[in-house]
């Protein structure tokens, strides 16, 4: 079982050890997020057969 007092002290230790300049550098970097992979026609089809749908 974890003790919430220990959790708080761990968080405080981490905050005290954080490098302000590195954090600022990381926030200011122009991060390239990978675009989602293009799906084929088969992969884009719904899981439900359109002919069986009753909600149309």
């Amino acid at each position: 079982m974890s003790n919430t007092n220990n959790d708080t002290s761990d968080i405080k230790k981490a905050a005290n050890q954080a490098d302000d300049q590195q954090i600022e550098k990381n926030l200011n970097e122009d991060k390239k997020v990978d675009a989602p992979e293009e799906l084929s026609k088969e992969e884009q089809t719904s899981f439900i057969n359109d002919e069986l749908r009753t909600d149309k």
Side-chain angles (χ1 to χ4, degrees), residues 2-38:
S2 67
N3 185 344
T4 55
N5 291 336
N6 289 343
D7 293 343
T8 304
S9 67
D10 289 344
I11 293 169
K12 286 181 182 177
K13 284 180 192 175
N16 290 336
Q17 294 174 358
D19 181 2
D20 295 341
Q21 291 178 343
Q22 183 64 40
I23 293 171
E24 186 174 351
K25 178 184 170 197
N26 291 344
L27 291 173
N28 290 331
E29 281 182 5
D30 184 23
K31 295 189 172 109
K32 303 286 185 207
V33 178
D34 292 335
E37 182 180 330
E38 291 294 324

Side-chain angles (χ1 to χ4, degrees), residues 36-53:
E37 182 180 330
E38 291 294 324
L39 300 177
S40 70
K41 181 83 171 160
E42 285 180 356
E43 292 171 325
Q44 291 180 8
T45 58
S46 62
F47 291 99
I48 301 171
N49 186 342
D50 281 340
E51 294 176 5
L52 301 175
R53 289 182 60 179

